Amino acid sequence: MKQRSVLVVLFDGIQSLDVTGPMEVFAGASRFPGVSYDLRTASLDGAPVRSSCGLALVPDSGLADAATPHTLLVPGGQGTRDPAPALVDWLRVHGPRPERLVSVCSGALLLAAAGQLDGHRVTTHWNVCEHLARTYPAVEVDPEPIFVRDGRLATSAGVTAGIDLALALVEEDHGREVALTVARHLVVFLRRPGNQSQFSAQLTAQTARREPLRAVQHWITEHPGEDLSVESLAARARLSPRHFARAFQAETGMTPGRYVDRVRLEQARRLLEDTTDGVTRIARSCGYGTPEAMRRAFLKAVGTGPAEYRRRFSSRPVHPQ
């Protein structure tokens, strides 16, 4: 049995779910024969820390006494905004040593302050991305994905994305079946690839101020298989196509075409995950017209085709296409 050690760094103001979420994933995987993760926590001086919700966490040791782990995990939380210099110094020295260096949520700020993210593509919580990019220009910040792998470095978006990343690491170490069983036990879905957006189209786009445009947004979401051309949507809003396109982008921050693409992709993903409908039927109902058009959209957006996406993220039996 190959045991992989995981060391989780603790500090005051930590987000408790950034700690417990990934640890529960690794602990769940360790219940399988032949799977073993040695989980340890450590604070700067070995003293208990208080999380942002008030929960006290008692570490196993101080960082000075912790052995170099296979995976070093740095959670996020309010404490990343003004970290102890000694913690940043420790990460600067010890960050390069583990085989895997992982951050959850705003833990990326600590790794960036320690110089561990320079030259790497990373992500973090959407509310921190701009600050991270502005403060550390040597870091390539991608605000879209829920997690990013760049060599030995793995970074994730906010809170629950740490669970997604931990499941991906378990799958990498021990295969899909182990990770899928852990996900089911935790009643979460092993369905979110790392390059999935942190937001749905409805959350990414702003809600239009004017009622005709808001009504069009709702129509798109509820009728992805209809004619959603600019001309058709403009007629529904009783505006000229040019005026509609300009107003829609001004009020939502997204062109009509991009909004439609996202809504259709999200609907297709949900149907692949949650139904046994064939790809041809899903493509038609989501407005793609043909399976090939949907396949191209999936390859561009999530890096895999619909059939492979379903194989990976749905355990339901599938009807013939």
Side-chain angles (χ1 to χ4, degrees), residues 104-158:
V104 179
C105 196
S106 59
L109 291 174
L110 294 178
L111 293 183
Q116 302 303 300
L117 303 186
D118 289 356
H120 291 283
R121 175 173 167 260
V122 307
T123 195
T124 185
H125 190 284
W126 63 268
N127 198 38
V128 181
C129 285
E130 183 179 352
H131 172 71
L132 178 62
R134 183 176 64 253
T135 307
Y136 303 99
V139 180
E140 181 187 348
V141 180
D142 188 342
E144 285 287 327
I146 59 172
F147 63 83
V148 169
R149 293 297 307 275
D150 187 352
R152 60 183 284 272
L153 181 66
T155 54
S156 67

Side-chain angles (χ1 to χ4, degrees), residues 151-197:
R152 60 183 284 272
L153 181 66
T155 54
S156 67
V159 194
T160 56
I163 295 176
D164 293 294
L165 176 54
L167 287 167
L169 297 178
V170 168
E171 182 176 3
E172 176 184 299
D173 294 341
H174 299 289
R176 180 176 181 271
E177 287 307 311
V178 173
L180 180 58
T181 303
V182 173
R184 288 172 178 159
H185 179 73
L186 295 175
V187 199
V188 297
F189 295 105
L190 184 63
R191 292 178 175 171
R192 298 207 292 175
N195 58 356
Q196 181 178 324
S197 175

Side-chain angles (χ1 to χ4, degrees), residues 75-276:
Q78 296 175 0
T80 61
R81 290 290 188 166
D82 187 23
L87 176 57
V88 175
D89 290 343
W90 188 90
L91 289 171
R92 183 176 291 109
V93 173
H94 295 269
R97 298 178 182 178
E99 291 186 37
R100 282 196 304 229
L101 182 60
V102 177
S103 70
V104 179
C105 196
S106 59
L109 291 174
L110 294 178
L111 293 183
Q116 302 303 300
L117 303 186
D118 289 356
H120 291 283
R121 175 173 167 260
V122 307
T123 195
T124 185
H125 190 284
W126 63 268
N127 198 38
V128 181
C129 285
E130 183 179 352
H131 172 71
L132 178 62
R134 183 176 64 253
T135 307
Y136 303 99
V139 180
E140 181 187 348
V141 180
D142 188 342
E144 285 287 327
I146 59 172
F147 63 83
V148 169
R149 293 297 307 275
D150 187 352
R152 60 183 284 272
L153 181 66
T155 54
S156 67
V159 194
T160 56
I163 295 176
D164 293 294
L165 176 54
L167 287 167
L169 297 178
V170 168
E171 182 176 3
E172 176 184 299
D173 294 341
H174 299 289
R176 180 176 181 271
E177 287 307 311
V178 173
L180 180 58
T181 303
V182 173
R184 288 172 178 159
H185 179 73
L186 295 175
V187 199
V188 297
F189 295 105
L190 184 63
R191 292 178 175 171
R192 298 207 292 175
N195 58 356
Q196 181 178 324
S197 175
Q198 294 189 34
F199 294 114
S200 67
Q202 292 90 335
L203 288 176
T204 303
Q206 304 166 41
T207 300
R209 295 188 303 274
R210 283 183 280 177
E211 176 57 34
L213 297 179
R214 285 202 305 273
V216 167
Q217 282 184 284
H218 293 314
W219 170 262
I220 293 170
T221 302
E222 295 171 0
H223 302 86
E226 299 290 336
D227 176 8
L228 301 180
S229 64
V230 169
E231 291 74 17
S232 176
L233 296 176
R236 182 166 293 277
R238 299 183 179 180
L239 298 170
S240 71
R242 178 176 294 183
H243 186 188
F244 169 77
R246 289 177 177 173
F248 190 95
Q249 182 165 8
E251 295 202 16
T252 70
M254 188 178 294
T255 66
R258 188 181 180 198
Y259 188 82
V260 167
D261 288 344
R262 289 204 171 194
V263 167
R264 284 177 166 162
L265 183 70
E266 288 164 15
Q267 177 66 3
R269 282 184 47 250
R270 283 194 292 269
L271 292 174
L272 288 169
E273 294 168 3
D274 299 332
T275 77
T276 58

Side-chain angles (χ1 to χ4, degrees), residues 6-23 40-43 49 51-52 57 63 71-81 83 87 90-91 101-112 124-125 154 156-159 162 165:
V6 179
L7 178 65
V8 181
V9 177
L10 303 183
F11 49 87
D12 282 324
I14 203 167
Q15 170 75 45
S16 59
L17 192 57
D18 290 359
V19 177
T20 58
M23 289 186 73
R40 303 287 177 181
T41 59
S43 66
V49 303
S51 71
S52 56
L57 302 176
L63 288 172
T71 299
L72 179 63
L73 190 149
V74 181
Q78 296 175 0
T80 61
R81 290 290 188 166
L87 176 57
W90 188 90
L91 289 171
L101 182 60
V102 177
S103 70
V104 179
C105 196
S106 59
L109 291 174
L110 294 178
L111 293 183
T124 185
H125 190 284
S156 67
V159 194
L165 176 54

